[in-house]
């Protein structure tokens, strides 16, 4: 005898109504989506132009957007484009454009769907893009989002083809999804967002913070963590609103809109409340099932085309990454390899001759007669390779007979990291010692030239070289106590870690193809740029940089006491911007030189005017100047009276004068 089947229990009517109100798609028609989006972006444009008209002083001489200064950012552009920008930057033109934008925005806020609205939207989008260089400081993501929406709605309004309109609406919806996805996954890389501490950190800042909200995060830390994790989940999972016929569209779109309104109120980002929510009507339209009357007849072929383009983009990105990897790990034609005690394979290049090095162009053989010429070994900084010394080494190769060796540490460029076990800076020092033993002929003195972290590695290995060490050249060098004594260095340590993590994960995700060649790469000698860009876009460089930075931070924060005495002559070059921003760095660089002081040694501390930490090497003018100073320094150390006080014309142009052992400061 069979038992009757039980009917599933139905939810109470009130609960079902509540669920229906909270869940499900947001049915918006094509025309309604365009109308809502254009009005929201019109409000954004109206607010933006009124702000600029009210604060015109920022665009005048001495203001935040003084064009006489801002136009320097566009110096490399085509002359025709520069003239167009100059015309737009004229105060009368700028004011006229903003007044026209106010009129167009007010018109779009009025009811109606006439064809002229398409032209008005296009004008707002194009004029916003044209004015961006003029108002570079003071614009934000809200302006970019408005430009995107207004351009798409303008084209859709001007088209009579529903398929074209749907393609444009899908385009904006896809951009909205990407903006949330990328923002969320980038946040996920940050430790503060994962721990939930980010909200309190943002509220504490001067630019975006709000003291009352910050105090609430301190009082209710669990609620603050929950809210931060909620924002993270919303952004990372935003596209799930398209699943199951848009069943989650209402809560996700509603939460995103509330998020932007809160940003506008709490963080002072008022335009965010209208600009980013302007994309939501198109998200709502594209997430509504086609069976619903509001979306009947919608053309979804744009989605398939986008998927095809994405697949093609992934394939191209993979091919570009593979090509860059091959170029990054390929040694130079005359490159050599040495295997260190840790199993690491270091790639290096050398110019080694049997002739003694001449002191300079005019004072040659007699100053080095009877002496074995030293070999200069260049040691790169963190996340840098041998190619970064391009201007310096070219100066030495062109204007002197000084022998030199350049190399990349394990994991950088063509050098391979094979070691096992935990990494410490002593491993990099061991590798450098083994490289010198293998690359520099026996009996030849060694000069170590290290930039940034490379300077610290040079200081450490100098004690191991004994009589082979001739001198050390510190190029805006690290100091082992800098994280303890310099607040600026300590504060930037976490930002450096975050930058390394972001770059590493982005490149691992295949985003290297999207990298634009940075200006400092363009500043290197032409023959180095392609290879350096391949290394810059290769995750191996950032893996090695992350490994070295973790060891550096750990060891620098544990440093105690004073620098021990160091052997050899010393040239300490400081970048002017480094010591201007942080005077403590100047004191620490002086200590590097003081560690070498002893009878018979030459010690010079100099500041390279106009240089920052990187341009000291990457600028043609400054890198060549550094090379000239190294040539001059070696010429003096090879003279019999190297330690006697002498006047060098270079010193008079530097805030920090050269110092000899016999004449200490």
């Amino acid at each position: 005898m069979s038992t009757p089947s039980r009917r599933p229990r139905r939810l109470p009517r009130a609960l079902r109504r509540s669920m229906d109100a909270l869940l499900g798609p947001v049915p918006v028609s094509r025309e309604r989506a365009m109308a809502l989006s254009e009005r929201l972006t019109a409000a954004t444009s109206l607010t933006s132009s009124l702000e600029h008209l009210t604060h015109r002083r920022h665009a005048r001489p001495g203001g935040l957007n003084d064009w006489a200064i801002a136009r320097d950012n566009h110096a490399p552009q085509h002359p025709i484009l520069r003239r167009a920008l100059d015309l737009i930057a004229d105060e009368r033109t700028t004011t006229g454009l903003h007044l026209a934008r106010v009129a167009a925005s007010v018109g779009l806020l009025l009811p109606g769907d006439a064809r002229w609205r398409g032209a008005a939207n296009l004008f707002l989008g194009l004029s916003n893009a044209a004015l961006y260089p003029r108002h570079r400081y003071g614009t934000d993501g809200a302006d970019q989002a408005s430009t995107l929406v207004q351009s798409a709605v303008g084209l859709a309004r001007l088209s009579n083809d529903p398929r074209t309109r749907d393609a444009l609406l899908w385009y904006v919806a896809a951009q909205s999804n990407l903006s949330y996805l990328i923002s969320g996954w980038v946040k996920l890389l940050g430790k503060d967002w994962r721990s939930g501490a980010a909200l309190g950190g943002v509220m504490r800042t001067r630019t975006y913070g709000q003291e009352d909200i910050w105090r609430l995060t301190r009082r209710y830390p669990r609620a603050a963590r929950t809210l931060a994790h909620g924002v993270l989940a919303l952004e990372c999972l935003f596209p799930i609103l398209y699943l199951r016929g848009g069943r989650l569209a209402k809560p996700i779109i509603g939460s995103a809109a509330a998020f932007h309104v809160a940003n506008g109120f709490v963080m002072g980002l008022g335009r965010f409340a209208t600009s980013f929510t302007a994309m939501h009507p198109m998200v709502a339209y594209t997430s509504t099932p086609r069976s619903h009357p509001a979306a009947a007849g919608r053309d979804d072929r744009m989605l398939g085309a986008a998927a095809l383009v994405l697949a093609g983009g992934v394939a191209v990105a993979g091919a570009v990454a593979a090509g860059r990897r091959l170029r990054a790990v390929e040694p130079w034609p005359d490159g050599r390899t040495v295997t260190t005690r840790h199993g690491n394979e270091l790639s290096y290049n050398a110019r080694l001759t049997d002739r003694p090095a001449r002191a300079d162009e005019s004072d040659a053989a007699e100053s080095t007669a009877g002496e074995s010429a030293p070999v200069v070994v260049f040691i790169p900084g963190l996340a840098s390779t041998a190619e970064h010394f391009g201007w310096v080494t070219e100066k030495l190769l062109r204007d002197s007979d000084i022998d030199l060796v350049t190399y990349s540490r394990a994991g950088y460029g063509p050098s391979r990291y094979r070691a096992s076990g935990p990494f410490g800076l002593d491993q990099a020092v061991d590798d450098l010692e083994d490289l010198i033993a293998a690359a520099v002929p026996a009996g030849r003195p060694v000069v170590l030239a290290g930039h940034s972290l490379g300077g610290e590695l040079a200081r450490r290995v100098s004690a191991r070289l004994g009589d082979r060490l001739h001198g050390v050249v510190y190029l805006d060098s690290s100091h082992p106590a800098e994280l303890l004594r310099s607040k600026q260095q300590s504060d930037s340590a976490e930002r450096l870690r975050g930058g390394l993590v972001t770059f590493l994960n982005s490149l691992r995700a295949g985003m290297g193809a999207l990298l634009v060649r940075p200006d400092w790469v363009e500043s290197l000698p032409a023959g180095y740029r392609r290879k350096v860009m391949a290394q810059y876009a290769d995750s191996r460089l950032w893996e090695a940089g992350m490994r070295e930075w973790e060891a550096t931070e750990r060891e620098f924060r544990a440093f105690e006491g004073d620098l021990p005495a160091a052997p050899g002559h010393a040239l300490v070059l400081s970048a002017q911007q480094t010591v201007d921003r942080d005077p403590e760095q100047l004191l620490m660089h002086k200590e590097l030189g003081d560690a070498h002081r002893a009878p018979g040694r030459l010690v010079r501390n100099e500041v390279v005017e106009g240089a920052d930490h990187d341009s000291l090497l990457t600028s043609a003018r400054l890198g060549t100047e550094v090379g000239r100073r190294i040539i001059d320094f070696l010429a003096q150390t090879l003279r019999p009276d190297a330690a006697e006080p002498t006047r060098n014309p270079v010193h008079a142009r530097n805030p920090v004068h050269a110092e000899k052992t016999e004449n200490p400061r």
Side-chain angles (χ1 to χ4, degrees), residues 538-619:
D538 184 15
S539 62
R540 289 178 66 254
L541 180 141
W542 301 97
E543 289 173 0
M546 191 69 212
R547 179 172 58 245
E548 290 188 344
W549 173 243
E550 288 177 344
T552 300
E553 185 177 22
R554 181 176 62 250
E555 296 182 27
F556 278 18
R557 292 200 183 278
F559 180 78
E560 294 179 352
D562 299 324
L563 289 178
H569 305 288
L571 171 63
V572 184
L573 297 182
S574 304
Q576 181 185 4
Q577 294 187 34
T578 296
V579 297
D580 282 353
R581 286 195 301 264
D582 188 359
E584 187 65 33
Q585 288 285 343
L586 186 62
L587 296 176
M588 289 188 285
H589 286 178
K590 181 181 181 302
E591 291 175 9
L592 291 173
D594 290 343
H596 289 265
R597 295 192 182 283
R601 293 185 192 161
L602 176 70
V603 176
R604 289 167 56 175
N605 283 78
E606 299 176 2
V607 174
V608 181
E609 297 176 3
D612 62 29
H613 186 67
D614 295 317
S615 67
L616 187 71
L617 302 184
T618 59
S619 163

Side-chain angles (χ1 to χ4, degrees), residues 35 53 118 167 187 224 288 299 306 351 360 367 422 427 456 472 524 529 571 601 609 647:
L53 288 170
K187 284 186 176 73
T288 300
D299 190 334
R351 197 267 298 267
D360 53 35
S367 65
Q427 184 184 124
E456 170 62 10
V472 180
L524 291 171
R529 295 170 191 167
L571 171 63
R601 293 185 192 161
E609 297 176 3
R647 180 69 173 170

